[in-house]
Amino acid sequence: MFVVMRSEATEAEVIGVKGLILAEGLTPFERASAGRTTIALVGEIGRRRGELRAMLEAAPGVDTVTPISKPYKLVSREFQPEDTVIRVLDTAIGDGSLTVMAGPCSIESREQLMDTVDFVAAHGATIIRGGAFKPRSSPYSFQGLGVEGLRHLADARQRTGMPVVTEVMEPSQVDIVAEYADILQIGTRNMQNFSLLLACGRAGRPVMLKRGFGATIEEWLMAAEYIASAGNPQIILCERGIRTFETSTRNTLDLTAVPLVHHLTHLPVVVDPSHATGKRWLVKPMAIGGVAVGADGIMVEVHPRPDEALSDAEQQLDFEGFAQMMDAILAVHEHVKDLHGDLNRGPGAGRSDGSPATDPVATAPAAEPAS
Ligand code: PEP
Ligand code: MN
């Protein structure tokens, strides 16, 4: 639940409400919306709901106390109707502009990374991607350059002025990755690695959370809630395809997730057509699709000589393919950008007065209830 303070509430009254929440062993999360202070209560509320609500309603300066209907709280649009905009160096994600994250699947050498970033920077990319620590299905495949790769990434940032995003695979790597990267990426295989989610939540850097290949949207948003509950509201969601019965593509790109997630949360969402399809020639049409349904950005893999790539050779774009995709998605974004508000939020969502929306979305219960 969350508390909306009266517009004339004093700082002492806000501190008083936070004190009451802390005294219950819960964490208060404060934000300002439309000139009002709103405070979410986060933690295990259990059977105390009614009692807590009555106590807070009676506290000085409190206007209303509203339950949040979803199991995720801080990332829900009910708590924060306004879109989250994430600013990194000179770029913003979620502000209506089109974010393009581009670079190789794996950083293989300094030369390979610099050739790629020079090209994508000159052709409209806004963020550099590249894997230094690689989650590979086989222990015998190339595992990434590790810290050497992180150093190349930092040089690429220096060279282009663009922020860099790279994957962190385990809690013990968070500090070193956060030292070099602007955005921490949590990969599909780690979406429910709760200790990693919490460690990234404490790292003080924006986090890009990829959807687990077997995760429902609710599980994905609960994973985002772990990061937010650790104190980090700067989260980008990435739809990268899910595993279905279909075997003609590497995964099945769930484009419905984009407007749905925009409706349910205030977080920006990007689409990764490279890992979703696993096929180079499908990347451009599915990137177009992602932009058309209102994604805040696209993440794609680009390699100077994709056929020689040490990972994901079949899906990486060559330079010409990237340039062609950019022409297409920039044109589509021009057409759809003013539609995004309508596309994303659904009926009643994102009201400026912060009141909860009536939810037209029937979410099927997860096969295994979250605990
Ligand atoms: C990646 O983006 O480098 C990656 C490994 O993606 P995913 O976790 O979606 O498979
Ligand atoms: Mn890859």
Side-chain angles (χ1 to χ4, degrees), residues 58-79:
V62 170
D63 186 5
T64 54
V65 180
T66 311
I68 300 178
S69 64
K70 301 287 189 301
Y72 41 88
K73 311 292 177 190
L74 299 171
V75 304
S76 73
R77 263 214 202 269
E78 288 173 65
F79 175 53

Side-chain angles (χ1 to χ4, degrees), residues 129 134-135 167 185 187-189 210 240 275 299 301:
R129 69 144 284 143
K134 294 300 299 176
E167 178 160 353
Q185 175 172 329
T188 193
R189 296 163 183 82
K210 298 192 102 178
R240 49 77 71 204
H275 292 90
M299 170 185 261
E301 291 185 338

Side-chain angles (χ1 to χ4, degrees), residues 51-334:
E51 213 176 291
L52 273 174
R53 188 170 178 177
M55 177 186 76
L56 290 165
E57 272 169 351
V62 170
D63 186 5
T64 54
V65 180
T66 311
I68 300 178
S69 64
K70 301 287 189 301
Y72 41 88
K73 311 292 177 190
L74 299 171
V75 304
S76 73
R77 263 214 202 269
E78 288 173 65
F79 175 53
Q80 181 181 311
E82 302 89 2
D83 289 341
T84 286
V85 177
I86 296 171
R87 295 181 197 284
V88 204
L89 301 185
D90 293 335
T91 191
I93 305 133
D95 66 341
S97 63
L98 184 65
T99 293
V100 179
M101 303 177 181
C105 174
S106 304
I107 301 158
E108 298 169 8
S109 68
R110 194 188 145 80
E111 190 197 7
Q112 169 244 18
L113 181 65
M114 299 310 160
D115 285 355
T116 310
V117 304
D118 286 349
F119 188 86
V120 299
H123 288 79
T126 59
I127 296 177
I128 295 164
R129 69 144 284 143
F133 294 102
K134 294 300 299 176
R136 303 304 303 279
S137 298
S138 164
Y140 310 123
S141 302
F142 177 60
Q143 305 286 311
L145 293 182
V147 177
E148 186 191 337
L150 295 178
R151 289 202 195 99
H152 295 329
L153 263 186
D155 289 350
R157 180 217 286 118
Q158 184 78 24
R159 190 176 170 107
T160 60
M162 279 161 40
V164 299
V165 55
T166 194
E167 178 160 353
V168 51
M169 284 178 19
E170 51 178 276
S172 65
Q173 291 169 349
V174 170
D175 286 348
I176 184 88
V177 176
E179 200 179 310
Y180 290 98
D182 300 290
I183 304 174
L184 307 178
Q185 175 172 329
I186 298 178
T188 193
R189 296 163 183 82
N190 267 319
M191 190 207 79
Q192 281 192 324
N193 180 339
F194 300 116
S195 49
L196 181 62
L197 296 171
L198 291 173
C200 287
R202 292 189 285 261
R205 293 252 183 251
V207 177
M208 185 169 79
L209 179 64
K210 298 192 102 178
R211 180 177 180 181
F213 59 79
T216 65
I217 286 176
E218 186 164 291
E219 287 163 341
W220 187 19
L221 299 183
M222 291 303 282
E225 186 77 9
Y226 265 87
I227 302 169
S229 73
N232 187 352
Q234 297 202 294
I235 305 162
I236 304 155
L237 297 168
C238 177
E239 164 59 44
R240 49 77 71 204
I242 49 175
R243 188 165 285 181
T244 67
F245 53 80
E246 182 54 70
T247 53
S248 351
T249 48
R250 185 173 177 183
N251 290 284
T252 298
L253 180 56
D254 179 11
L255 282 184
T256 313
V258 175
L260 193 49
V261 158
H262 272 141
H263 171 74
L264 296 170
T265 88
H266 47 81
L267 300 174
V269 53
V270 305
V271 165
D272 170 354
S274 302
H275 292 90
T277 63
K279 289 184 165 51
R280 188 169 308 133
W281 66 275
L282 284 172
V283 169
K284 177 174 141 188
M286 298 321 289
I288 291 174
V291 174
V293 295
D296 298 282
I298 295 294
M299 170 185 261
V300 287
E301 291 185 338
V302 186
H303 193 287
R305 290 167 301 283
D307 291 335
E308 293 169 24
L310 297 180
S311 58
D312 289 348
E314 287 179 23
Q315 71 195 33
Q316 301 207 54
L317 295 173
D318 61 16
F319 289 173
E320 197 193 327
F322 178 73
Q324 285 173 5
M325 182 206 71
M326 284 305 298
D327 286 347
I329 63 175
L330 289 174
V332 174
H333 185 248
E334 242 350 272

